[in-house]
Structure formats: structure tokens, C-alpha cells
Amino acid sequence: PYPTSDWDWNECLRVAKRLLRRDPSGRIARYGLGTYEMHETVGLVWQFGGSFFDPTLTYCTLDSPEAIEAISFLHRMLVVDQVMPSVAERNAIGTQGGWGSSVIDLFCTERIAMLRIGRWGMVKFRTQPNLRGKLGAVLLPHMRSGADEVRALSVGINPKSPNREEALRVLQFLASDEFSWHVVESADALPPSPKVGGDERFLNDADHPEEDFNHLFIEAIKRGRSNHFPPFIQTTRVERIFNRHLAVMSDRRTTPEQMCRALTDEINEEMRVSLMRYASMREEYRRRTGRDFDPADYPPKGGTADGGAAVTSITAGFRVGDALSPAEHYRFRGVCGRAGRVQSGDGVHQLGPGPARAVWLRGVRKLRAIVQRT
């Protein structure tokens, strides 16, 4: 039987273990859960009582005890119990036998048993004969909270558009019941109209009677939250930093606590540099916090789990000789010159107080950093 919607992450882990399958050689043939990266982990951190950023969205708080607990549980699923593949493992599976490397492709080929996804996944699932009659749905597990990230598409009109009247008619159509029924028929997410979303014809689709779980997507919206990021760093940059540190932890090179503290320091350091550089950002910081930005007191003392420790793990996840992009080269060069001595241990480089010396070599195709201890 499928779990009930009041299940928690401990029960989810038990179910994932039961769904795990290995081939005769001992290799994992089917994982219990799909891959988690940054956007999937946002909800996990919320459910354990943590958050990515403080309420004013001015500094990262992934080094809080609650966030560390969430990442520790993710580490258990990824590394200890191995019920979900890392990104590297997912991509490796995708190269075998011509399968795609996305978690959706692996779910469709039954290499993953459970998948975190919205109703839009049915667009793909309806085309898979092997999945007919075998699909079920349940709300995501909870812990201290049942909240998870909710995303939506928004449409607006440019005030300088030369075709505002035509654009307005398009918006009116997108808000109509007619368009909502098109969405229902295509299975591409939930209908924009709440009236259509509560219609019995949607909740019990006669054309797809096996999809008897549409009401769960409505319930998930009620439990959901929108996610917001600070204006001092690009969301894609946060995602890249997070996923890089996650890959290092998945490779058993850092502990969950080291990962959380390292990526928190790196994200905060990038925001601190941006705040020092741009007056408009400092004005926004003051508007959000009610105080002037002080680079010597950022993040604010007591604002992070360690009160703003002096050690900044800005290069965690990079080892001597690792390839760096030009942007990373520029960023690390500036930080090394200011932040201090480079310390190396267990494959993780940290910046601490003291003079720094780094030698940068530019290759034909890529940039490599050679960090020298001083």
C-alpha cells in the first residue's frame, strides 16, 4: 500500500530501503528515491525547521542546527543508506543502455522507485506504456513542518509594449476557464482557475481514471510556500555553490556539518563583496534591516550559527589542480588576496587570517589553480 499523507522522513527512508534493488553483482539496479539538488533540498530544510536565508534575505543561514540536521538526513539517504543516487551516479546510469540522465527518464525506465514531482510529470508519464496502472501519488514527507516549495508561471504586460491591447486579450484568455481546461487535458501542471481546480471533472478525470490523485496536488499547494532569494547574489550562483558542495559531500570528502558551514561562508562572502561594491545594494540592505551595512560585522554577530566566525571556507570543494572557470578564478583571486592564508586539509581548502599567496596558471582550454601553503 502507498504511504498515507501524514508520513514523515523516517518512514520515507524505510520505504525507500524496501524499494531498493540490487543486481546479482551487488550494484544498485533501482534506487528508492530520485536525486536531490538545491531546489529539492529547499523544502527538506524547511521541513526540518531551517531555512536557506534569514527573514530579511540578507545573509545565508544554512549553518543553523536545523539546516545541518536536514543536510545530515540527506547525507544519510545519499551516502550511508544509498537509497538515492548522487548527480554523478544518476548521470552514469543514464549513459547505460541509451537511457536519458534526468530523474524523470530514470523513473520512466523504473531505475528510480519514488520521485518528487508536480502534476506536470504526467505529460511524460502518460506516454510510457510500462507505467500504466502502476503510478500512485502521496504528499511529500514532513518533519517539523510539511511545507515545500511551490512554483508558478507569471505573465505580465510591458508598459511600453506597442501591442498592449492584444497582450491584454492574451492575459484574459490565460485567466479564463477555457485555458484552464486546456491545462487539465494536457496535464501540464494545475489549472490557473481555482474553480476548475475544484471541479469534479478535474478531480476525477473520466479520460484518465487511473489518475485518482489530482486532489493531492491541490492539497500540496495549501501546504506550499514560495521561495525567495536575496537581491545581493544571483539565484543561479547560489544553486551552483550549493550543488558543488553537495557533490563534495556525496563523494565523502566532507561531513554534512562541514558542507553547511562551508557553503554558508561562501554564499555570505559573495554577498559581502557585492554589498561592498555597490551602493544600491547597501541602500537595499539598509531598507531591509534598518541599519547600515558594516563589512566588519557581516553577517551580523549572532546571525549565523557560529556568530560570524573568522574562518571562511570560500574554496571548499576545490582541491589543488581542480579546474576553475574564469569567474571562479577572478572571485578566488580577490578573496585570497584579502582574506588570508590558505590552509589545506582532507581535500578542502579554507581561508583563514594571515597573508595569502596563490599561483594561477592559465591553460589553453581551462584555468587551473595551484594553491601554495605559506
Side-chain angles (χ1 to χ4, degrees):
Y2 286 103
T4 58
S5 291
D6 62 348
W7 67 331
D8 63 15
W9 275 103
N10 291 316
E11 183 180 354
C12 179
L13 179 57
R14 289 193 292 270
V15 172
K17 286 181 178 179
R18 291 200 299 269
L19 293 171
L20 190 71
R21 294 288 183 272
R22 295 182 182 272
D23 62 21
S25 68
R27 293 194 308 176
I28 296 176
R30 185 182 72 193
Y31 287 91
L33 278 170
T35 306
Y36 262 46
E37 295 184 81
M38 189 196 79
H39 285 291
E40 292 82 5
T41 309
V42 167
L44 182 68
V45 171
W46 287 347
Q47 288 151 15
F48 276 77
S51 62
F52 268 52
F53 297 95
D54 77 300
T56 65
L57 298 178
T58 55
Y59 60 88
C60 181
T61 56
L62 279 169
D63 57 351
S64 70
E66 295 82 4
I68 292 174
E69 184 182 1
I71 299 301
S72 296
F73 195 87
L74 179 61
H75 175 268
R76 180 180 175 185
M77 294 189 290
L78 262 173
V79 178
V80 179
D81 294 319
Q82 295 182 306
V83 297
M84 61 166 55
S86 66
V87 173
E89 289 166 336
R90 181 196 70 193
N91 293 338
I93 295 171
T95 63
Q96 303 169 17
W99 295 305
S101 61
S102 75
V103 288
I104 297 178
D105 292 326
L106 297 182
F107 182 81
C108 289
T109 54
E110 302 184 44
R111 306 298 300 275
I112 289 174
M114 294 189 291
L115 181 67
R116 175 190 180 274
I117 200 167
R119 183 174 181 262
W120 53 270
M122 296 307 302
V123 175
K124 176 78 170 181
F125 300 155
R126 285 178 178 178
T127 67
Q128 307 298 307
N130 62 304
L131 296 183
R132 287 176 188 163
K134 298 169 67 175
L135 289 176
V138 66
L139 290 175
L140 286 168
H142 69 279
M143 214 62 179
R144 297 184 183 92
S145 164
D148 197 49
E149 185 181 20
V150 171
R151 301 186 201 176
L153 296 177
S154 301
V155 182
I157 300 175
N158 189 322
K160 296 184 179 180
S161 170
N163 303 303
R164 282 180 291 179
E165 294 302 320
E166 291 83 354
L168 178 59
R169 287 198 292 271
V170 172
L171 259 64
Q172 289 172 333
F173 173 71
L174 295 179
S176 68
D177 288 353
E178 180 184 358
F179 177 73
S180 285
W181 283 113
H182 282 302
V183 173
V184 168
E185 292 168 6
S186 68
D188 191 12
L190 290 173
S193 168
K195 183 178 73 174
V196 174
D199 194 294
E200 188 66 21
R201 290 172 292 171
F202 165 65
L203 297 175
N204 295 285
D205 191 340
D207 293 330
H208 301 278
E210 70 281 2
E211 297 175 18
D212 58 354
F213 39 71
N214 283 335
H215 65 285
L216 291 174
F217 298 115
I218 302 294
E219 183 62 28
I221 292 292
K222 298 176 183 178
R223 290 171 47 166
R225 290 165 48 184
S226 58
N227 191 22
H228 302 280
F229 286 84
F232 315 117
I233 186 171
Q234 291 183 342
T235 303
T236 53
R237 184 66 193 140
V238 175
E239 183 175 13
R240 182 173 180 179
I241 293 171
F242 182 93
N243 289 341
R244 170 164 53 80
H245 283 276
L246 178 61
V248 173
M249 186 187 74
S250 302
D251 198 31
R252 296 175 170 83
R253 287 192 274 156
T254 56
T255 66
E257 183 173 353
Q258 287 172 336
M259 171 190 163
C260 288
R261 296 194 185 282
L263 71 89
T264 298
D265 287 342
E266 184 170 348
I267 291 170
N268 282 336
E269 177 63 17
E270 290 214 2
M271 290 198 290
R272 189 176 78 88
V273 170
S274 296
L275 283 161
M276 291 175 63
R277 184 173 297 169
Y278 300 107
S280 60
M281 288 190 177
R282 293 194 294 274
E283 292 174 5
E284 178 63 18
Y285 181 90
R286 179 177 177 79
R287 187 188 71 80
R288 289 169 177 263
T289 64
R291 61 178 180 271
D292 291 331
F293 169 70
D294 180 3
D297 185 29
Y298 178 84
K301 289 183 174 60
T304 60
D306 58 5
V311 175
T312 303
S313 304
I314 196 70
T315 56
F318 284 94
R319 293 181 292 187
V320 173
D322 279 354
L324 300 180
S325 69
E328 288 163 342
H329 164 256
Y330 175 82
R331 178 167 56 87
F332 290 160
R333 180 180 60 186
V335 171
C336 283
R338 183 187 68 255
R341 179 169 55 88
V342 177
Q343 300 170 331
S344 178
D346 298 326
V348 178
H349 306 300
Q350 295 183 321
L351 298 175
R357 182 160 60 96
V359 178
W360 304 93
L361 301 179
R362 185 181 297 276
V364 176
R365 293 187 176 180
K366 57 187 175 181
L367 198 64
R368 288 186 175 274
I370 300 178
V371 181
Q372 295 182 339
R373 297 188 65 180
T374 59

